[in-house]
Amino acid sequence: MVLHPKAKVRVAGQEVTFCCKASGTPVPKKYYWYHNGTLLERKVHRYGSRLVLRGLVPEQAGTYHCKASTEAGAIKSAPAQLTVLAQGQQSCKPEPEPSLVELPSECPQDAAGSRYYNVGRCPPAPCAGTQADRSGCGADAGHCCGVRRMEMREIPCAGSLLPIKVVAECGCGPCTLPRVLVQGRVTAADTGEPLRFGQIFLGGRKVGFTGYKGSFTIEVPPDTQRLVVRFVDRQQRFVDAVKVLPFNHRGGAVYQEVKMLRKKEPMDLDGSRSNAIPLGEASGRDPVGELVLPAGAFLRPSGEVFRGTVKASVTFLDPRDITTAGAASSDLSFTNTEGEIVPLRTYGMFAVDFREGESGAALQTGPVEVRMDAGQVRMPEHLQKMKLWSLNPETGLWEEEGVLRPAGGSRGKREERTFLVGNLEIRERRLFNLDVPEDRRCFVKVRAYSNEKFNPYEQLEGVVISLINLEPQPGYPANPRAWGRFDSVVTGPNGACLPAFCDGRRPDAYSAYVTATLGGEELEAVASSPKLNPNAIGVSQPYLGKLGYRRSDHDDPNLKKTAIQINVAKPDPNNVDETNGPIYPYRSLEECEEAPVSANHLRFYRVEVDKYEYNVVPFKESDLTSWTGDYLSWWPNPQEFRACFIKVQIEGPQEYMVRSRNVGGSHPRTRGQLYGLRDTRSVRDALLENTSGACVEFKCSGMLFDQSLVDRTLVSIIPQGSCHRTAVNSLLREYLSRHPPVAENNHTAAFTMLAPVDPLGHNYGIYTVTDQNPRLAKEIAIGRCFDGTSDGFSREMKADTGTAVTFTCQERPAGRESFFQRLLTAPAEA
């Protein structure tokens, strides 16, 4: 499916057009349109690939999708939502929805004991299309519900007034359209060696290369539903990796670590004789099967039989090894006869590379035999459904090559075994798979939070949730025998629903291993020991007990805390305790996606120790559509986010909070006005006694949102203790003196500067990273700052490397206020 119908909003009486287009051989010419899953009559609506509905009435609202078919198969489009408004009904209510932000610690709590303040938000819903939109195939011309008017308010905080902008009115206006990107790194699954300058393909089109360290950035084309990317090693050391990469439809960048499988060393075969190559004999296990090549099976591309020496490399990905899941290609899906993309359960994948011994020219094969050991299939029902598949590198979908049927045992020591046998011709370099379609499917609801308070309004979007389906050992659910499939989904404003195999009769027939990452950083899961806390985990008893929830450090506290394993126990519809998530039947996807935050779900969270951010103009970094164009916006451009950090060294007996206060410095519209505050606790240097370091974010200098004048942000760095400034980086001091005006630094308990416009780097103690995702930009900058380099990455603080300013702090006498406290209680005097 190369063109999917788009969501539309219309007023009753208007018309709407939906379009879809499929490609294939032969070219699809038959199209069918469905409304809420019901086929629309072709004679009534006279549709082909385009569906036109005139004189709309409210009953025609709902989801629309199309199906294209030929004798070769069928494919369904993604559904598109049609909203039909009554005459005079507003698609964007002027009253903002509630949205809470946390105020700084020095601000008084309200009567209910909360430091949260309602700043309001406008839901980014599409607005009704104009007359010009009605006949088009594309999305409506970019009108969304957004902020029409903001008001400035002042909150009394510790002797001063804290400015804050709140949404006063919503209205329709141009949509914020952030770029949609996937970034990441490609490395070898076995050694971590980067894929240097590897080729990147989208479909059949080459779009670029990986960098020296294996890094890549892909801009997701409009109308993409499944992003299928192929990574090719030009030196042919690795098997081509075909990945279906998750991305955030709402914009921004998602980070992915891609693993490539190293090709097996080639063996010499005699092309004039019959040969058998085992599949998966590693680590002392019996092979899953074997590839049998009869005499004369090798062919040159011209069709001529090749009988000389063949260099044969057959690389097998064995699902009995749990660590191979990350290197598997595709998302293990195929298209069924109804055109739905449905999952497969793998028993192993193999890639073949046959070449002439002397010239190295590629060879094909005539009919060869794939034999699979039936003893490796522990679920008897799978024996009847086992098939042989090959991966289409352009669609990322598996295509059926043949059926595996029971046959007699082989000679020698394996003659007592039964084999499943199928035939195959190898005409192109594809990945092959021993798989069964599995219809016992469910969805698992997962949410990610910015901290372990699990507040509904502090959910994170853009987090990649990954789920690997495992087949446990009988009676040992924590000890999986093999993995069967994997999926990745990006969280939206209401979490994520991940497909998984499940079983209603045996809760532990399938288990799932779930992880969450944001910008390459692993999020933490809720603990399962010393005892289960259903309120923290997010799942109520007794269903929680049936799921067998375990965090990865359950038995060994030295292990990571970033993964959970559960039994995917299909909910019993007759048991009220199992009808509220976190597992949903496969037909209840909509119920899963729209479940309220009070419903059962699994949780991950960011570990943010003593870190606080405050923006005068509220912005949710995980939802780029919440950006508002304002002179006081911390991030002036929703297409590009520049993160700036300064490294502070502190010599003192403990860790200290360090604040950056950021106000307008040189722009006439913002001079003296607050942009925001950042608080960060310093981190001890493991190698230096009584020394810690802090990487403190400040607002970068540069153009404001109108892109007309540069503002040099006036940044004050203030440690929250009895501290005095003892050193300033000489290169930074020299740069600031050469780029006037120079900020006054007449108080030794703080450091003030008009922030540099240039991205200076570690020699100055300033770390700047630009990215399409604000969180990713910050994560990379923090990693460099901890390391004290401009291209490294560390989570261990090197406090005396790449530092901008040094403070010496001491324990103050009892009863004496620090400068920071005096600044809060009596700002004018301080």
Side-chain angles (χ1 to χ4, degrees):
M1 190 62 68
V2 294
L3 177 66
H4 296 262
K6 310 282 195 308
K8 305 282 175 94
V9 180
R10 293 288 183 271
V11 176
Q14 290 183 338
E15 71 174 57
V16 70
T17 301
F18 289 114
C19 306
C20 75
K21 185 183 177 185
S23 66
T25 308
V27 175
K29 297 225 171 92
K30 257 191 178 172
Y31 288 88
Y32 304 87
W33 283 94
Y34 296 79
H35 175 222
N36 292 338
T38 302
L39 180 65
L40 296 173
E41 287 189 46
R42 190 188 303 273
K43 288 178 182 175
V44 174
H45 295 280
R46 299 185 179 183
Y47 58 69
S49 63
R50 179 184 292 233
L51 172 68
V52 181
L53 303 173
R54 297 181 175 88
L56 286 169
V57 293
E59 292 73 36
Q60 289 176 289
T63 59
Y64 287 82
H65 77 267
C66 82
K67 182 172 83 172
S69 70
T70 67
E71 56 269 34
I75 186 79
K76 275 185 182 177
S77 75
Q81 185 73 29
L82 173 63
T83 304
V84 180
L85 304 171
Q87 294 285 346
Q89 183 184 351
Q90 293 174 310
S91 55
C92 179
K93 294 178 182 174
E95 304 81 28
E97 292 181 351
S99 178
L100 301 178
V101 297
E102 187 180 3
L103 298 177
S105 57
E106 64 270 16
C107 294
Q109 298 182 342
D110 64 14
S114 171
R115 278 208 327 270
Y116 287 88
Y117 193 84
N118 181 15
V119 294
R121 70 182 282 271
C122 301
C127 290
T130 62
Q131 189 69 36
D133 296 326
R134 281 178 211 154
S135 60
C137 281
D140 290 347
H143 278 78
C144 297
C145 189
V147 176
R148 177 161 284 174
R149 185 168 57 85
M150 298 190 85
E151 288 177 355
M152 178 70 87
R153 294 188 188 160
E154 292 183 325
I155 302 166
C157 284
S160 63
L161 293 174
L162 180 75
I164 188 165
K165 285 210 164 185
V166 300
V167 178
E169 185 185 355
C170 301
C172 288
C175 299
T176 301
L177 295 173
R179 294 163 70 199
V180 181
L181 298 169
V182 174
Q183 299 175 323
R185 212 161 61 102
V186 189
T187 54
D190 52 356
T191 62
E193 164 195 358
L195 175 68
R196 294 192 169 116
F197 313 119
Q199 295 174 316
I200 304 173
F201 292 84
L202 281 187
R205 183 170 57 93
K206 186 162 74 176
V207 295
F209 298 88
T210 59
Y212 181 75
K213 293 190 174 182
S215 57
F216 67 89
T217 298
I218 298 167
E219 183 149 7
V220 180
D223 200 45
T224 301
Q225 295 293 327
R226 289 176 88 243
L227 180 66
V228 180
V229 185
R230 180 162 54 110
F231 298 95
V232 177
D233 176 23
R234 295 191 292 174
Q235 298 176 31
Q236 292 299 307
R237 296 163 303 160
F238 301 107
V239 177
D240 293 359
V242 178
K243 296 289 185 179
V244 181
L245 297 179
F247 60 94
N248 190 350
H249 291 265
R250 291 153 65 89
V254 168
Y255 186 87
Q256 284 286 124
E257 287 279 355
V258 175
K259 301 294 182 187
M260 290 189 84
L261 200 62
R262 192 178 298 278
K263 282 187 176 176
K264 198 164 184 185
E265 284 297 315
M267 61 178 84
D268 287 348
L269 301 179
D270 183 345
S272 63
R273 302 176 60 179
S274 177
N275 295 279
I277 302 172
L279 301 174
E281 81 256 82
S283 63
R285 294 187 176 112
D286 285 330
V288 169
E290 60 186 7
L291 186 62
V292 180
L293 302 134
F298 295 105
L299 307 173
R300 288 182 164 135
S302 63
E304 175 194 353
V305 175
F306 178 78
R307 298 186 183 277
T309 301
V310 176
K311 293 277 186 191
S313 169
V314 177
T315 308
F316 186 73
L317 188 139
D318 195 335
R320 295 173 300 180
D321 179 357
I322 304 301
T323 62
T324 62
S329 271
S330 161
D331 59 355
L332 285 166
S333 299
F334 76 105
T335 309
N336 67 10
T337 53
E338 290 297 308
E340 293 178 310
I341 294 177
V342 287
L344 291 166
R345 189 263 195 242
T346 187
Y347 280 89
M349 304 179 189
F350 60 96
V352 298
D353 190 11
F354 299 131
R355 296 183 180 271
E356 294 185 23
E358 289 184 10
S359 68
L363 293 169
Q364 302 174 350
T365 77
V368 299
E369 204 173 72
V370 178
R371 300 168 66 85
M372 181 181 179
D373 182 357
Q376 298 292 338
V377 182
R378 308 294 167 92
M379 294 189 177
E381 63 270 29
H382 286 178
L383 290 169
Q384 312 305 319
K385 300 191 290 184
M386 192 70 64
K387 294 181 180 181
L388 191 58
W389 309 76
S390 70
L391 180 62
N392 183 325
E394 295 189 10
T395 64
L397 294 169
W398 294 89
E399 298 171 350
E400 190 177 327
E401 289 281 343
V403 178
L404 292 168
R405 302 193 186 283
S410 63
R411 294 184 303 277
K413 64 178 182 179
R414 296 200 194 98
E415 58 192 2
E416 74 285 356
R417 299 188 181 216
T418 305
F419 280 81
L420 302 174
V421 178
N423 291 308
L424 175 70
E425 288 189 22
I426 301 168
R427 296 290 183 187
E428 55 183 320
R429 200 173 71 210
R430 278 197 175 193
L431 194 60
F432 300 97
N433 201 349
L434 303 162
D435 266 14
V436 291
E438 178 60 277
D439 52 10
R440 291 177 293 184
R441 296 173 280 160
C442 289
F443 283 101
V444 181
K445 183 74 177 201
V446 183
R447 298 179 190 270
Y449 294 86
S450 59
N451 54 55
E452 56 183 321
K453 295 174 186 171
F454 304 121
N455 288 321
Y457 40 84
E458 292 185 304
Q459 291 188 68
L460 294 175
E461 296 182 44
V463 175
V464 179
I465 311 289
S466 298
L467 184 150
I468 302 173
N469 248 125
L470 306 172
E471 180 192 315
Q473 301 273 13
Y476 298 94
N479 183 18
R481 178 164 53 208
W483 61 269
R485 83 172 268 110
F486 54 88
D487 281 279
S488 294
V489 177
V490 174
T491 57
N494 200 34
C497 293
L498 288 100
F501 297 144
C502 58
D503 196 289
R505 291 191 301 274
R506 288 186 302 144
D508 63 350
Y510 281 115
S511 63
Y513 182 83
V514 190
T515 57
T517 58
L518 179 65
E521 171 201 6
E522 292 180 312
L523 272 60
E524 199 159 296
V526 182
S528 58
S529 60
K531 66 176 186 176
L532 290 174
N533 180 351
N535 290 332
I537 291 168
V539 182
S540 57
Q541 291 285 23
Y543 200 17
L544 178 61
K546 189 174 179 180
L547 298 182
Y549 178 98
R550 295 164 67 92
R551 193 168 71 175
S552 41
D553 65 341
H554 185 86
D555 295 318
D556 183 353
N558 294 319
L559 293 177
K560 283 182 167 182
K561 303 172 182 178
T562 54
I564 52 179
Q565 193 168 324
I566 60 165
N567 298 328
V568 193
K570 188 174 182 178
D572 178 357
N574 299 315
N575 185 340
V576 69
D577 293 321
E578 298 181 12
T579 57
N580 195 32
I583 315 292
Y584 292 84
Y586 195 73
R587 295 293 171 196
S588 301
L589 172 59
E590 193 173 335
E591 185 186 341
C592 177
E593 289 180 333
E594 295 178 1
V597 74
S598 57
N600 288 336
H601 59 274
L602 301 175
R603 292 170 171 171
F604 288 88
Y605 62 94
R606 289 191 83 188
V607 181
E608 291 196 339
V609 181
D610 296 326
K611 195 174 177 182
Y612 173 73
E613 299 177 357
Y614 174 78
N615 297 324
V616 169
V617 179
F619 172 59
K620 194 175 179 184
E621 288 176 357
S622 62
D623 176 12
L624 302 190
T625 60
S626 69
W627 180 85
T628 307
D630 191 282
Y631 280 100
L632 294 177
S633 294
W634 184 276
W635 307 97
N637 181 356
Q639 299 275 339
E640 193 172 74
F641 297 88
R642 191 166 170 229
C644 295
F645 284 77
I646 184 169
K647 189 166 185 177
V648 180
Q649 180 179 342
I650 295 184
E651 294 170 348
Q654 58 188 43
E655 295 175 336
Y656 297 85
M657 292 298 287
V658 183
R659 169 169 288 185
S660 79
R661 190 171 190 277
N662 304 266
V663 300
S666 59
H667 196 290
R669 291 290 296 267
T670 63
R671 191 178 292 130
Q673 294 187 65
L674 184 69
Y675 290 116
L677 307 171
R678 297 292 187 267
D679 291 346
T680 306
R681 183 174 290 281
S682 64
V683 177
R684 288 188 190 280
D685 187 314
L687 302 178
L688 298 174
E689 194 176 352
N690 288 337
T691 304
S692 61
C695 293
V696 188
E697 186 187 6
F698 63 90
K699 186 186 182 306
C700 306
S701 291
M703 295 283 190
L704 299 186
F705 93 101
D706 62 358
Q707 301 294 306
S708 64
L709 276 177
V710 167
D711 182 45
R712 294 273 306 275
T713 312
L714 182 62
V715 180
S716 299
I717 303 297
I718 313 157
Q720 301 181 20
S722 294
C723 307
H724 63 278
R725 189 179 68 247
T726 50
V728 176
N729 182 302
S730 58
L731 287 175
L732 177 60
R733 189 170 55 223
E734 185 184 332
Y735 174 91
L736 294 174
S737 65
R738 282 191 287 107
H739 295 79
V742 177
E744 287 186 13
N745 260 309
N746 55 8
H747 200 294
T748 59
F751 170 71
T752 304
M753 67 174 179
L754 281 159
V757 177
D758 303 302
L760 296 181
H762 69 285
N763 289 327
Y764 299 79
I766 303 290
Y767 301 85
T768 306
V769 172
T770 301
D771 196 273
Q772 281 71 31
N773 183 314
R775 285 198 177 277
L776 197 53
K778 286 168 32 168
E779 287 298 327
I780 295 169
I782 290 169
R784 292 176 182 176
C785 179
F786 267 61
D787 197 49
T789 63
S790 290
D791 58 358
F793 189 90
S794 176
R795 277 286 179 258
E796 292 184 9
M797 175 58 73
K798 300 170 185 174
D800 62 344
T801 307
T803 303
V805 59
T806 303
F807 290 89
T808 300
C809 302
Q810 60 196 37
E811 295 302 302
R812 64 181 177 278
R816 185 178 160 207
E817 284 187 322
S818 70
F819 171 69
F820 184 82
Q821 288 170 323
R822 296 204 308 279
L823 194 66
L824 298 178
T825 54
E829 181 192 325

